[in-house]
Each structure stands twice: as structure tokens, then as C-alpha cells.
Amino acid sequence: MAPINFWVLDNFWAHLALFGIAIIAFVLLMVMVFIWFERRAFGPFQLRRGPNRASPWGALQPVADAIKVLLKEDIVPAVADKWVHFIAPIIGFLPVLLIFAVVPFHRGHGLLPDMNIGILYVVAISALGVVGVFMAGWASGNKYSLLGGMRVIAQMVSYEVPLVLSIISVVLVAGTLSMNGIVAAQEVPYFLLMPLGFIIFLIAAMAEINRGPFDLLEADSEIVAGFHIEYSGMKFAMFYLAEYGHALAMSAIAATLFFGGWKGPGDVYLGILWFLLKIFFIFFLLIWARVTFPRLRVDHLMGFGWKFLFPLALANVFIMAAEVIFWGGADGGVPWWVIFVNFPAAIALIYLWSRLFKFGGGRVDVTA
Amino acid sequence: MSLDVAFWILAALCVGTALAVIFAKDIFHAALFLIVCFFGVAGIYVTLNADFLAAVQVLVYIGAVSVLLIFGIMLTRDPSKGSPAGKLRLPAIVVALALMGVMIGSMITFDWQTTADTSKMVSTEEIAGLLFDENGYVMTFEIAGLMLLAAIVGAIVLVRKE
């Protein structure tokens, strides 16, 4: 069956308008669904029911939350740098929308899914998120928000290294930087071909979006929210939106890089459904990790990133490069049977490295 | 035509924000203007079909250099007063103007080579070939990498408490 060919997709401005609006709607809607999904999923994990009052299954709970937070007073501290304080949430949310410009949603359709430097663009744009955090931490005129901001930056910069290294192993095997090209190259999903790369990507992504066991920077129960302590009302909602938007973006990128994006068995029209299913699966993994693992201490966080993830990510890049050189075909790529090599290799490496790897014996020497 | 419009908008943005970097009273604002300036430069690379370079510009200059810069500002004492001009204000202006004169003069007088070829849309492979081919700049690339590694090790040695 031939794929649908809408005439509007051939017109540049119509394409831009259609996908621009679609991406904004997709991100806003999915953030609401994610908030609901996370809270519902938390319930059974914690032996309770989760939100179940607002409409069936509590589906309107995020709507109620949104209305509540929008009606709150917008407070700007007297010593704040007014303009920067105002712009910071916008800069913080912008990269989330920009990332989706290159994500192929359905059978290679998207705003710019064929962009030649696709995944490099994603990595570059993600770096912009740091600027929003900086601006928020600085402009609040509060030393706690400044310190919180600096901790977030230290964590994001540290975990960007293993994240990008695991992306490099994907690029090595796929032989292209384009998101559509990476999807097209995956005859076998890459989480099977390089389990180690996928695990490293997932852990680094959790740290990058300040979630799960890595949320010590805004630990709700211990310190007061970190860099966005001085934000309220709509502006706080923007940061909240950006946080879940980042989780959505990371899930979408992981689905594209490691799970074959929109590919899946069945009718050609099911592409978007497969993609959504994969996004929800990865987000469920993030929730699972968040609810299961205890929060990391700051020295453990840095030690884990630099002494554990970083060497393993390097090892993964070397293994994949060697496999591409020695077993790869004429057009690059690796044969499917490397699964039987890579799974034992990943298990052996993780086991061996966890034996060798020590935190400095309780001595705290990382002052990030 | 539309590329020309894009170029002039980006060029005005770059020059405007570069001036703002110099004249901003608050040093943090200056750093933010510098980020916008870097972004404008990345935009100019895009109009030249240098997509890979544009992405690396954003990644390195905004993601790394600016972040390091702002980190430095945050760690300094009382930065909200900015950097008030010291005694060396006049000599600094003279040196800066002289340097600007030299650069503009050499740019105008130099006989730039031009080519009739249009730039390639896909630049990633070309850059990879230049860097890693047998006839490419492999040695230079490796030496640069080694120097950066030495710099990192040096920084760690400097800040390390015995």
C-alpha cells in the first residue's frame, strides 16, 4: 500500500506551518499525558492508587494542576534582574520544541527529519537548555538559586560526555547523522546490537534531565527546588513544562536511535502509533528507575559519571568501531549476529567495572 | 536574494550584540549578549551551507565556552557591579583600536581567492575526509587532541589539593 502523499507537504510554507503547529500541540499534549502517566504509574509502585478523582482514572488531574498553577500569583523578587528573570523560562523551554524539528514522527514525516546533521543538531540544541538554567539561577538574586543552578550545570555538563559518546556509537553503526537515516539503517533495533550503549544513554539521559535517582538538585523533600526557587505561577509552569518536555524529547530520541523510531510490524499507517508506544515504553523505564532507586549523593553522582559511565562509554565506542571495521559490510553497519557478542560483552564489562570501581571511601572530595 | 536578506539580518544581529557585549554595564548581561552573538555567527554559517560548522559552533561556543565564561562570572565576588574601568582604560582603547585597524586593513588589502563553485550542501563528509583521510590533516588533528588533553591534565594538577 502506498504511503499517503498530502499535497500540502510539498509546499514549503504549508509544511512549516502544519508541522510547527503540530509539534507545539504534540509537546503540550504529551506533557499533560506524561504527568498523568507518571502519577498513575507511581501509585502501584508505592502501594496506593494514584490520582483517581478528576474524571475516570484521574485523566483530568493534569488539567486541574495546570489551571491551579496558572491562577497563582506571579511573584518577581525585588532584587531580581527583571528582564533576565522573565526570559529565563522561555529560553529553558525553547530547546525542547527545537529538538522536535528533526524527529521523524511517521514514516519519515516531520518538520526536518532528513536534516543532514540531525543528531548533532539535537546535541547542540540541548546545550542551550543550560543557558536557561543559568539565567534563572542568576536573575533570581538569591544565593540558593544560584548554587542550585551551578549544581545543575555541573551535572548536565558531566553527563553530556557519556550521552554523546553513546550517540557516537549509534552514528558509527548507522553511518549517518540524519535522524531518518538512522531509523532507515536499523534493520535490527540498536538496543539489541549495542545494549551497553543503550544502558549508558538511558542513565546519562536521566541525569541530563534531572530526573529519577539524579534529582538531588531539586530534591523535593530535602532542599527547596534549586534554581527555580524564586519562580511562581506561569513562569514556574514553564519550567515544569520544560522538565517534562525534556523527558519527552529524550524518550523520543532514545526511541529513534535505539528502537527504530516509527518502524514496526503491521500496516504502514501504524508508524506514529509505534513511535508513541516506544516513547511511552522508554518513559516507563525512566519512571521505574525514578521510583526504585534511592537518590544519589553529589560526590557519588560525579564519581559515577566520570569513573563508571565515561570509561564504559569509551569501551562501547571502541567495541562498536572494531565491529564496524572487521565485520561490517561494504556500506558500514554490523551483521545482526553481533548481538551474541555484545550482550555477553556488556554484562562482563558492567560486572568487571563495578568490581574495580570505588567511591573515595566515604571521603567527599568533589565540591561541585 | 532571500539569502542576502538573511545575511544582513544576521550580520546586524552579530554586530549589534557584539557592541552590546562591550558596552553592557552588567558583566552577566554582556555574557548573555555574547551567546546571542555566537548564535548569529552560527546562522551566518547556515547561510553559507556549512551546516556541520554551524552545529559545532552552537555546541562548542554556546554549550561549552559561554557556559565556562558564566561559571567564571558566578564564582567571582560581587559580580553585579560589573567590571568598572580601571586605570588602563585609555591604553586599552588605543590597543583595541590599533588591533581593529590592522585586522580591517589586512582584510581589505588581501587578495582573497574566489571560486565559481557553489558550496556543497552536505559538508560533514567533506570535513571528515579533510581531517581523517590519508592525505588529510590527521597529524594536526591528533596533535590538537593531545594538546587539549595536556591542558586538562594541567588544570587538574593545578587545582588539586595534596
Side-chain angles (χ1 to χ4, degrees):
Chain A
M1 193 184 299
I4 326 169
N5 197 7
F6 299 103
W7 64 269
V8 283
L9 296 179
D10 297 330
N11 180 309
F12 172 77
W13 294 107
H15 181 91
L16 186 70
L18 183 72
F19 276 101
I21 295 166
I23 284 171
I24 293 172
F26 175 78
V27 171
L28 294 181
L29 195 70
M30 282 296 280
V31 164
M32 300 270 252
V33 175
F34 265 28
I35 293 172
W36 171 79
F37 182 62
E38 176 164 45
R39 297 181 65 173
R40 285 297 290 189
F42 260 38
F45 275 119
Q46 297 170 341
L47 298 180
R48 58 189 178 87
R49 287 175 190 277
N52 61 355
R53 292 292 159 198
S55 85
W57 309 293
L60 288 179
Q61 191 66 39
V63 180
D65 282 350
I67 292 171
K68 176 191 152 212
V69 79
L70 292 186
L71 289 177
K72 290 213 169 187
E73 189 188 354
D74 176 32
I75 302 164
V76 181
V79 288
D81 191 336
K82 303 280 182 310
W83 275 103
V84 182
H85 188 267
F86 179 76
I87 300 169
I90 303 170
I91 303 285
F93 183 57
L94 196 64
V96 175
L97 286 178
L98 287 177
I99 283 173
F100 281 96
V102 292
V103 172
F105 287 98
H106 174 70
R107 298 195 59 80
H109 287 307
L111 187 57
L112 283 168
D114 288 313
M115 188 197 263
N116 174 40
I117 51 161
I119 191 66
L120 185 68
Y121 167 88
V122 170
V123 173
I125 289 297
S126 312
L128 284 182
V130 175
V131 179
V133 173
F134 253 139
M135 288 168 75
W138 172 270
S140 301
N142 178 328
K143 62 187 168 196
Y144 296 109
S145 65
L146 186 64
L147 286 172
M150 286 173 65
R151 284 183 167 202
V152 172
I153 314 288
Q155 176 175 331
M156 285 173 84
V157 170
S158 303
Y159 277 78
E160 211 168 281
V161 178
L163 187 82
V164 172
L165 280 174
S166 63
I167 290 176
I168 283 176
S169 63
V170 171
V171 173
L172 265 175
V173 176
T176 173
L177 288 168
S178 142
M179 297 289 260
N180 242 351
I182 290 171
V183 173
Q186 291 184 54
E187 273 139 30
V188 182
Y190 282 168
F191 78 99
L192 290 173
L193 285 186
M194 42 184 114
L196 189 57
F198 174 61
I199 291 167
I200 292 167
F201 181 90
L202 204 63
I203 296 173
M206 279 175 209
E208 192 78 354
I209 54 184
N210 305 325
R211 274 179 65 87
F214 302 101
D215 62 343
L216 69 162
L217 312 156
E218 43 196 75
D220 309 322
S221 50
E222 293 163 20
I223 58 171
V224 270
F227 68 92
H228 52 64
I229 177 173
E230 294 290 1
Y231 281 88
S232 63
M234 181 77 189
K235 289 177 193 159
F236 174 75
M238 283 291 270
F239 278 119
Y240 204 70
L241 202 65
E243 201 180 309
Y244 278 87
H246 262 127
L248 173 64
M250 279 297 176
S251 307
I253 294 164
T256 308
L257 292 186
F258 293 99
F259 284 81
W262 44 263
K263 275 190 180 174
D267 202 270
V268 288
Y269 298 108
L270 292 178
I272 181 78
L273 282 180
W274 276 113
F275 187 58
L276 283 177
L277 202 67
K278 288 163 181 173
I279 287 181
F280 271 103
F281 174 69
I282 290 162
F283 188 61
F284 181 74
L285 291 183
L286 296 182
I287 295 172
W288 198 355
R290 177 174 179 181
V291 83
T292 308
F293 292 113
R295 191 172 288 141
L296 269 78
R297 218 169 64 192
V298 68
D299 57 325
H300 287 184
L301 176 90
M302 288 296 163
F304 183 68
W306 286 107
K307 295 178 189 166
F308 188 78
L309 281 186
F310 178 56
L312 280 184
L314 275 182
N316 182 49
V317 170
F318 273 108
I319 291 172
M320 293 323 291
E323 280 171 0
V324 169
I325 289 173
F326 294 118
W327 297 335
D331 54 340
V334 286
W336 62 271
W337 43 262
V338 297
I339 296 170
F340 299 116
V341 181
N342 283 352
F343 261 95
I347 293 165
L349 271 173
I350 292 174
Y351 179 74
L352 282 177
W353 208 259
S354 60
R355 300 258 101 178
L356 287 169
F357 166 67
K358 280 200 196 96
F359 294 115
R363 190 167 59 89
V364 182
D365 57 355
V366 181
T367 49
Chain B
M1 176 55 211
S2 53
L3 269 183
D4 284 345
V5 176
F7 170 78
W8 284 111
I9 292 172
L10 288 167
L13 182 78
C14 284
V15 175
T17 48
L19 287 175
V21 172
I22 301 170
F23 291 113
K25 280 274 183 289
D26 189 332
I27 193 167
F28 186 73
H29 289 173
L32 292 180
F33 280 123
L34 191 67
I35 290 175
V36 181
C37 184
F38 286 149
F39 213 78
V41 174
I44 288 179
Y45 286 148
V46 172
T47 65
L48 297 172
N49 279 347
D51 50 0
F52 186 81
L53 201 58
V56 171
Q57 163 85 11
V58 173
L59 186 60
V60 172
Y61 279 90
I62 297 178
V65 172
S66 305
V67 166
L68 213 62
L69 204 75
I70 301 179
F71 229 105
I73 294 171
M74 279 179 166
L75 290 171
T76 46
R77 211 148 38 102
D78 220 2
S80 56
K81 296 218 176 75
S83 52
K87 282 178 208 157
L88 291 174
R89 185 177 195 170
L90 209 64
I93 291 175
V94 172
V95 170
L97 283 178
L99 191 66
M100 193 173 89
V102 169
M103 285 167 85
I104 291 178
S106 58
M107 261 198 280
I108 290 172
T109 51
F110 190 77
D111 184 23
W112 296 99
Q113 292 195 344
T114 51
T115 168
D117 294 349
T118 49
S119 54
K120 294 209 168 69
M121 272 306 272
V122 178
S123 58
T124 315
E125 280 188 41
E126 307 283 325
I127 291 173
L130 268 179
L131 280 180
F132 299 112
D133 262 357
E134 282 144 31
N135 306 320
Y137 299 97
V138 182
M139 201 63 201
T140 332
F141 181 82
E142 296 288 337
I143 291 171
L146 202 66
M147 276 179 64
L148 287 174
L149 184 67
I152 294 172
V153 173
I156 290 172
V157 169
L158 278 180
V159 299
R160 188 177 174 172
K161 280 180 287 190
E162 193 43 61

